[in-house]
Amino acid sequence: MSFTARERWIMLVASAWLVTGLQLDAYAHATTPELETFWTPWHAVLYSGIAASGLTLVWLLRSRLPTIPTYRTLIALPNALRVPLLGMAFLLVGGGVDTLWHNIFGIEQGLEIFVSPSHEFIILGMVLVAAGPAMMTALRPGDRLTIADGTVVTISALLTALPLHIYSLHANVLGEFFFGEGDDPVRIYSTDAQVMHGFLFTTVLLLLPIILIGRRWRLPIGVPAVLVAVPALAMHLMFLEGDPWWASLTVALAALGIELVARVVTPLLPPATTWAVLGLAAPPVLWGTLLLVADIEEGVGWNVHIVTGLLTYTALTGIGTVLVARNLRPPARVPAEPPAEVVPAP
């Protein structure tokens, strides 16, 4: 089963509508603490995006399912449709529960926003729907992306990753740059410890889209840098309004520099080790550059033990993410054995 360029682009637009609603709603909650109503323009964009994505999926399924679909025909669909369909189910359940939840328990505030069950369903559904255009493109033969297909895949990957960045604000360094209180020794249970773990989680979240695209295609020039720079800049726009831009721009420019160096160095490496080396080296270089610029701009409160240990942790997290994401494969289908021949009794 294949999809036309028109179908992939329409699905991409519907996904962008959906994720834009989340971004607007996140920005409204971040900048308007007294927001106490469900009936906001931002929710209107979000829920109309759910409707647009659902109608797009119905349109895509119309010519690919019989008049009366069955469980067997649904299971026979490619993952490019089954995954967004599962996501739409999560969105519908989460959206319905969210309205009821707000009416009974009120509007979530602070950390409650990120652990509310209805919100978890909405974010999970959004991620699965937004992955659809990239998965549709993956059904096309070949390991090289055209400019048009590369654009679809890159935007789809960004739309998949951005909700995760937003929803992990409590454990994501892109939403709140923090470089240590300066305590000596650093307390175990502290903001310092929380943010250190945020560096590890953000490393995984930034690497995964790059690795997964690289599993299927040869990475087009500029795509890895875009997949790091856009989340960094988008998170600043949503949550760091009024703060100086140097930290987010440092992450974006460091990602570009890492890609430029990687494009020169990786052809010199044995092919089997290329991704492992990138996973090991890219995270500490990215965060090390940020910490260096931070020390120049405002100072870094962490001592040498914390800084070197943190960069070592990010290197190990990076190579671990590469090894898992590059090598995890679905189990091979074992062909069914033919029925044993029945030998009639003499």
Side-chain angles (χ1 to χ4, degrees):
M1 186 180 294
S2 61
F3 300 88
T4 65
R6 177 167 168 259
E7 289 174 328
R8 295 195 300 274
W9 277 100
I10 290 176
M11 188 65 201
L12 186 68
V13 170
S15 302
W17 185 346
L18 176 63
V19 175
T20 298
L22 173 68
Q23 291 175 291
L24 292 173
D25 190 49
Y27 177 79
H29 281 282
T31 56
T32 313
E34 66 275 10
L35 196 62
E36 291 288 344
T37 176
F38 177 83
W39 305 104
T40 66
W42 325 121
H43 277 183
V45 177
L46 173 61
Y47 284 92
S48 61
I50 294 176
S53 298
L55 290 173
T56 301
L57 282 171
V58 171
W59 172 65
L60 290 171
L61 291 168
R62 183 186 57 180
S63 60
R64 293 175 169 88
L65 285 176
T67 305
I68 303 178
T70 63
Y71 175 78
R72 187 182 296 275
T73 57
L74 287 172
I75 291 299
L77 291 171
N79 285 334
L81 285 177
R82 285 192 298 177
V83 169
L85 276 174
L86 180 61
M88 184 54 55
F90 279 116
L91 282 169
L92 293 175
V93 172
V97 171
D98 196 42
T99 308
L100 182 64
W101 192 273
H102 288 169
N103 288 332
I104 297 175
F105 301 110
I107 305 295
E108 300 91 334
Q109 299 292 330
L111 184 61
E112 300 161 359
I113 296 171
F114 304 101
V115 295
S116 169
S118 60
H119 290 180
E120 291 174 4
F121 273 75
I122 291 173
I123 295 298
L124 177 58
M126 194 174 295
V127 167
L128 297 178
V129 169
M135 298 181 74
M136 292 175 185
T137 307
L139 294 175
R140 291 170 59 83
D143 65 348
R144 292 183 181 272
L145 286 164
T146 64
I147 293 177
D149 286 348
T151 301
V152 170
V153 169
T154 303
I155 295 176
S156 178
L158 286 171
L159 295 174
T160 303
L162 280 173
L164 295 174
H165 281 286
I166 294 170
Y167 201 65
S168 65
L169 184 64
H170 57 293
N172 192 310
V173 295
L174 298 181
E176 181 62 50
F177 291 104
F178 178 85
F179 305 107
E181 296 283 8
D183 295 336
D184 191 12
V186 177
R187 293 182 300 114
I188 296 172
Y189 299 103
S190 61
T191 303
D192 297 79
Q194 179 185 344
V195 174
M196 282 186 61
H197 291 92
F199 274 94
L200 307 185
F201 182 81
T202 308
T203 295
V204 175
L205 206 50
L206 289 174
L207 273 176
L208 272 178
I210 299 171
I211 298 169
L212 294 177
I213 293 175
R215 270 183 57 164
R216 174 61 180 83
W217 300 282
R218 297 188 182 188
L219 280 169
I221 294 175
V223 168
V226 167
L227 291 174
V228 175
V230 171
L233 299 176
M235 292 289 280
H236 187 110
L237 284 171
M238 283 183 284
F239 302 113
L240 300 176
E241 185 180 19
D243 288 2
W245 280 84
W246 61 262
S248 301
L249 289 174
T250 297
V251 172
L253 293 174
L256 178 59
I258 291 169
E259 181 176 354
L260 291 175
V261 172
R263 296 283 178 182
V264 175
V265 173
T266 50
L268 307 177
L269 300 174
T273 67
T274 299
W275 278 97
V277 171
L278 288 174
L280 187 67
V285 172
L286 177 70
W287 302 127
T289 303
L290 176 62
L291 290 170
L292 179 62
V293 175
D295 195 47
I296 296 170
E297 288 289 333
E298 63 180 38
V300 173
W302 290 319
N303 58 33
V304 64
H305 308 291
I306 299 294
V307 170
T308 55
L310 174 60
L311 295 181
T312 302
Y313 263 136
T314 61
L316 295 175
T317 301
I319 191 171
T321 304
V322 167
L323 292 176
V324 172
R326 290 283 297 179
N327 295 295
L328 193 62
R329 296 288 191 276
R333 290 188 177 182
V334 180
E337 295 183 3
E341 184 178 355
V342 178
V343 179

